[in-house]
């Protein structure tokens, strides 16, 4: 079962998501919360796999709650939850900040229920629900990279991994990277997996955000 925490200040939205989750044999609603503070407490108590996080809430907002969830200590053998930001607008500065904070992607509140269910399953499998290219565009529109680049942060990568890292950071797909680097697509996938492990990142989306945050692309 994929354990889900729903966070939104609108009771109607929370109830609707609860009904949707209850209709699925592999998904379980373990808790719901109306504020960021409640979300942090509920996540600590219920240990969800995936969190659907509203951005704009009274008190502690969804961005701050996401940062707390992803930096909180986890028990031995455990893992931080995957966070999907739920928003009204696609091109939103707060969404860009949430991606930089480590969210695995976003869905809009008017998304089709089947898309939302697929998004939950996708992030639980370790993938993202926003294309890396869209992430790059979002960050370029709403945030500025640091002025001084930090290439030392990727010093652990091999020369080939650095090359693929920079291509992935620009939002290129595996096929596009393979064509640019003159390697097989399966080789790209292997390198990307190694890059994620060495840098402690969860997804291709985080590769883009990491590179942007530290002035490695622009």
């Amino acid at each position: 079962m994929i354990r889900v925490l729903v966070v939104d200040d609108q009771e109607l939205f929370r109830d609707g998501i609860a009904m949707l989750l209850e209709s699925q044999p592999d998904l379980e609603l373990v808790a719901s919360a109306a504020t960021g503070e409640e979300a942090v407490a509920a996540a600590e108590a219920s240990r969800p796999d995936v969190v659907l996080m509203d951005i704009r809430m009274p008190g502690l907002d969804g961005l701050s709650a996401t940062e707390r969830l992803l930096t909180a200590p986890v028990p031995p053998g455990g893992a931080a939850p995957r966070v999907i930001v739920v928003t009204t607008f696609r091109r939103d500065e707060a969404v860009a900040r949430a991606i930089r904070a480590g969210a695995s992607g976003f869905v809009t509140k008017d998304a089709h229920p089947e898309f939302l269910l697929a998004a939950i399953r996708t992030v639980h499998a370790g993938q993202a629900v926003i294309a890396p290219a869209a992430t790059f565009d979002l960050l370029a529109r709403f945030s500025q990279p640091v002025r001084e680049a930090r290439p030392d942060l990727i010093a652990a990568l091999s020369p080939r991994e650095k090359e693929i890292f920079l291509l992935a950071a620009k939002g290129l797909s595996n096929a596009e990277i393979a064509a640019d680097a003159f390697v097989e697509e399966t080789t790209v996938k292997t390198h990307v997996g190694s890059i994620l492990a060495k840098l402690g990142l969860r997804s291709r989306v985080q590769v883009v955000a990491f590179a942007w945050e530290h002035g490695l692309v622009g």
Side-chain angles (χ1 to χ4, degrees):
M1 296 290 286
I2 302 174
R3 298 163 57 81
V4 183
L5 165 62
V6 178
V7 186
D8 197 284
D9 61 348
Q10 297 180 4
E11 184 176 2
L12 185 62
F13 182 83
R14 296 197 307 273
D15 290 347
I17 296 300
M19 293 177 62
L20 180 63
L21 295 176
E22 289 170 359
S23 71
Q24 303 300 305
D26 61 331
L27 304 179
E28 177 187 6
L29 176 67
V30 295
S32 61
T35 68
E37 290 90 347
E38 291 180 6
V40 174
E44 183 177 359
S46 63
R47 292 296 174 189
D49 299 310
V50 178
V51 178
L52 298 180
M53 179 72 73
D54 187 21
I55 290 181
R56 292 173 176 82
M57 295 178 290
L60 188 72
D61 63 16
L63 174 62
S64 298
T66 294
E67 292 174 337
R68 289 196 190 182
L69 290 179
L70 297 181
T71 57
V74 296
R82 307 280 182 173
V83 177
I84 300 174
V85 171
V86 182
T87 180
T88 305
F89 305 103
R90 289 182 180 274
R91 300 184 72 82
D92 189 323
E93 181 178 5
V95 173
R97 292 171 61 200
I99 295 299
R100 291 170 64 188
S104 295
F106 72 90
V107 297
T108 55
K109 288 194 173 182
D110 62 354
H112 192 280
E114 289 301 323
F115 180 85
L116 178 60
L117 294 173
I120 293 171
R121 296 181 177 109
T122 297
V123 300
H124 181 255
Q127 302 177 50
V129 289
I130 173 175
T135 305
F136 185 86
D137 291 343
L138 192 66
L139 294 173
R141 179 181 176 88
F142 290 116
S143 60
Q144 294 294 325
V146 295
R147 293 183 178 180
E148 183 178 353
R150 293 289 308 279
D152 56 297
L153 295 178
I154 59 172
L157 304 182
S158 69
R160 175 63 87 177
E161 287 172 345
K162 289 179 182 177
E163 178 186 6
I164 290 177
F165 169 87
L166 293 174
L167 293 172
K170 295 178 180 179
L172 273 64
S173 67
N174 285 347
E176 291 169 332
I177 294 173
D180 194 285
F182 301 102
V183 296
E184 296 293 330
E185 192 170 345
T186 53
T187 301
V188 174
K189 292 179 181 179
T190 300
H191 282 309
V192 169
S194 177
I195 290 166
L196 294 177
K198 288 183 178 181
L199 298 181
L201 303 175
R202 295 188 183 92
S203 68
R204 294 279 293 276
V205 167
Q206 285 194 312
V207 168
V208 177
F210 179 91
W212 186 268
E213 177 75 14
H214 298 294
L216 299 174
V217 294

